[in-house]
Amino acid sequence: MALSLYLDHPSWLHRRHPVAKVLALGWLFVAAFLLDHPAPLGLLLVLVLAATASARALSVLHQMRWLLLPVFVFTTIIWTVFYPATADGPVDRWVAFRYGLGMALRLETFLATGFVFLATTTIEEFAFALSRLGVPYRAGFVLTLAFRLVPVFLDAALTVRDAQRCRGLDFTTGNVATRIARYAPVIVPVFIGGLRRADQMAFALEVRGFSAGRPRTSLPRPGMDGSDLLLLGVGGAITAVVVALRVAGIGRLVAQ
Amino acid sequence: MHELTRMWRNTRMVVLTAMCASFYAAVLIPFMVVPIIPGVTHFRPANALPVVCSFLFGPAAVWGAAIGNLIGDFFAGLGPGDLFGFVGNFLYALAPYRLWRACATGDPVPKTAGAWALFVVVVATGAGLCAATVGFGLQVLGFVPFAVLANVVLVNNCVTALVLAPLLLAVLYPRVRRVRLLYDDVIGPRPALSRARRALGVGLALAGALVAFGGGNLAAAGALPPSLAASPNLGLAAIVLPGLTLAAVGLVLL
């Protein structure tokens, strides 16, 4: 499994301001949430796929096909089975299937939108956008630091696992509880190593004035330009159309 | 609750938060290829870590669990459901250390029958709150019905935490205490709470978890008064949200 979905190549979506991308992501999530009819949801998904293709990010969706295809099948089946019954009579299975299909398309839209965002936005840009949207600097710092540490811990865990295997630890036999318990000799050394690293990192941050209590300075970044505002406008317009459809009673199958 | 905001001023707690988050994510990610409900949840042996870190690092683990779960979602699909995952994991790591320190004075390493019983209760409470939050949110968003997801999350959290967490705590707790990185050592001990306040907080937290999880399952099974049953999501919200609020108030008091 790749440790980042970011695609390092230029595209119109890569160049957009991080705040514009986060807000557009939010608009699309809201639009998909307000619909449950397969037809408008399918149209929305096609729009997201078109944006993905234009940003040359379809490879991410291909990479995540192991997730996207089972999600579609599973969600359609489960919501067809769990379609909410009414007091009026037995459940119409055709309506239930259309509802299940709508839910599957909604979930695929959420996933595809999230993947194209991750394919075109670095974690630093995401943290920057969050800070511009009011999330405290330290929370963004933790997000980026934790993201950077994941491969370090993963690498350490794999090394320790191999070392324990060499000593005869078998992860493949026994019942579920036994197998889970065998992860303790892997987790403990990685955890202790992580603690040592955390202690050193805290010292390093302190000597660089992390908690100096003075106003923080940062490199200036360009603000949003016309293209960013256009992206926001398109996202907002899609949501406005969806709200209008909803008010008109189109795009809904059942009362929630 | 003040310590959840105060800890952000302490550099060591900030770094421990990042460590908890990355450690949680690093163990979550390799198991994402073993789905239980595709796209929604998977086999998560990492779910023992928020409990272990909660007892060791307290508020840093609370934020670490929430952020770690978010980072894990970066590898399996970002979506509006992650907001509920964030809150659910926040509560999952918040309940254990708060309930334990309100009910016991010893180390959170279960050795006696009484300590084991308390350990099971605090882990189940955290797992129930997480399951109710995630189950409710993902039903409202139309991902998976509450009855399916909430029960899967509860079992997943409880099994891994009850099997793995005591083993890890038995090894890690004395070592972390020796290097003075327990949360009380880093941010300082908090003033003792009155007996009445602790009893009220624990009672509210347990009752809230029971209402949110048990009531949510009853609502999902259709055992609702007719006035609420007209809309499944509204009925579920009317049961789960007051339960979660009750539990949150209880945990704030602790």
Side-chain angles (χ1 to χ4, degrees):
Chain A
M1 182 183 285
L3 279 177
S4 172
L5 295 175
Y6 182 72
L7 297 173
D8 192 10
H9 63 67
S11 80
W12 68 274
L13 209 45
H14 282 77
R15 285 191 294 273
R16 296 289 63 79
H17 195 279
V19 175
K21 280 193 271 190
V22 169
L23 293 177
L25 181 77
W27 279 128
L28 287 174
F29 282 164
V30 171
F33 176 67
L34 292 175
L35 297 165
D36 61 16
H37 195 290
L41 274 166
L43 194 62
L44 191 60
L45 181 58
V46 168
L47 278 175
V48 172
L49 292 177
T52 311
S54 67
R56 294 188 289 135
L58 280 175
S59 60
V60 167
L61 300 186
H62 183 258
Q63 186 187 332
M64 300 306 286
R65 66 191 181 284
W66 61 272
L67 178 75
L68 293 166
L69 295 175
V71 161
F72 186 80
V73 175
F74 181 83
T75 310
T76 306
I77 292 171
I78 202 161
W79 278 111
T80 303
V81 173
F82 279 85
Y83 181 73
T86 60
D88 302 337
V91 171
D92 181 336
R93 282 292 148 211
W94 170 241
V95 175
F97 172 71
R98 281 199 306 165
Y99 182 73
L101 192 61
M103 291 301 99
L105 286 168
R106 182 196 284 179
L107 189 44
E108 293 287 316
T109 307
F110 284 150
L111 288 172
T113 313
F115 284 138
V116 72
F117 175 80
L118 295 173
T120 57
T121 314
T122 62
I123 190 70
E124 288 80 8
E125 287 175 332
F126 183 50
F128 170 74
L130 290 180
S131 72
R132 293 301 296 266
L133 292 169
V135 174
Y137 166 78
R138 288 185 177 222
F141 172 79
V142 164
L143 185 69
T144 47
L145 178 60
F147 198 85
R148 291 276 165 234
L149 284 175
V150 169
V152 177
F153 277 118
L154 207 52
D155 198 38
L158 293 175
T159 306
V160 173
R161 187 197 63 183
D162 291 344
Q164 300 289 30
R165 269 187 184 156
C166 291
R167 295 184 179 101
L169 188 65
D170 184 4
F171 296 97
T172 58
T173 56
N175 58 32
V176 174
T178 312
R179 288 188 196 195
I180 291 173
R182 284 189 186 135
Y183 278 89
V186 175
I187 292 173
V188 170
V190 180
F191 199 93
I192 296 292
L195 274 186
R196 195 176 300 137
R197 188 186 298 272
D199 210 30
Q200 291 164 351
M201 205 178 290
F203 278 121
L205 285 169
E206 283 292 344
V207 297
R208 284 168 175 80
F210 186 75
S211 292
R214 298 169 65 179
R216 186 169 296 281
T217 57
S218 58
L219 289 172
R221 275 178 184 257
M224 282 199 248
D225 61 16
S227 304
D228 299 316
L229 295 175
L230 184 65
L231 177 68
L232 275 180
V234 170
I238 289 171
T239 309
V241 168
V242 167
V243 170
L245 286 175
R246 191 185 161 101
V247 170
I250 306 165
R252 299 289 288 174
L253 286 173
V254 290
Q256 296 285 300
Chain B
M1 192 52 82
H2 182 52
E3 69 195 6
L4 285 172
T5 51
R6 194 162 52 98
M7 61 138 271
W8 288 102
R9 285 184 233 139
N10 186 308
T11 307
R12 191 150 294 176
M13 289 299 271
V14 170
V15 174
L16 285 173
T17 304
M19 199 203 83
C20 292
S22 53
F23 198 49
Y24 187 29
V27 186
L28 273 179
I29 292 162
F31 288 93
M32 282 180 174
V33 291
V34 191
I36 295 175
I37 299 175
V40 177
T41 195
H42 43 87
F43 176 56
R44 294 166 66 118
N47 282 7
L49 295 173
V51 174
V52 173
C53 292
S54 171
F55 288 124
L56 299 175
F57 308 123
V62 175
W63 290 107
I67 294 171
N69 185 70
L70 181 68
I71 291 175
D73 288 336
F74 271 48
F75 301 92
L78 198 62
D82 298 336
L83 186 66
F84 295 98
F86 187 93
V87 177
N89 278 275
F90 185 92
L91 292 171
Y92 181 45
L94 180 65
Y97 87 95
R98 294 239 164 180
L99 288 173
W100 185 274
R101 80 178 176 193
C103 300
T105 51
D107 293 351
V109 183
K111 285 174 184 160
T112 62
W116 265 107
L118 180 60
F119 192 81
V120 170
V121 169
V122 299
V123 169
T125 304
L129 291 172
C130 177
T133 308
V134 175
F136 167 72
L138 270 61
Q139 156 138 356
V140 169
L141 289 170
F143 284 19
V144 189
F146 182 94
V148 177
L149 183 62
N151 292 301
V152 167
V153 171
L154 181 84
V155 172
N156 205 350
N157 284 359
C158 280
V159 168
T160 49
L162 291 175
V163 172
L164 207 48
L167 293 172
L168 295 174
L169 281 168
V171 180
L172 293 173
Y173 196 85
R175 286 168 170 77
V176 175
R177 183 168 48 196
R178 204 177 305 138
V179 293
R180 301 188 59 78
L181 279 176
L182 293 176
Y183 64 93
D184 268 352
D185 295 323
V186 179
I187 56 173
R190 70 193 301 251
L193 300 175
S194 71
R195 199 184 186 86
R197 182 169 167 173
R198 280 187 286 145
L200 182 65
V202 171
L204 286 176
L206 297 185
L210 199 64
V211 168
F213 182 77
N217 266 300
L218 286 176
L224 277 178
S227 57
L228 289 174
S231 162
N233 287 347
L234 195 65
L236 192 65
I239 302 289
V240 174
L241 292 182
L244 290 175
T245 308
L246 208 62
V249 170
L251 292 172
V252 167
L253 286 174
L254 299 173

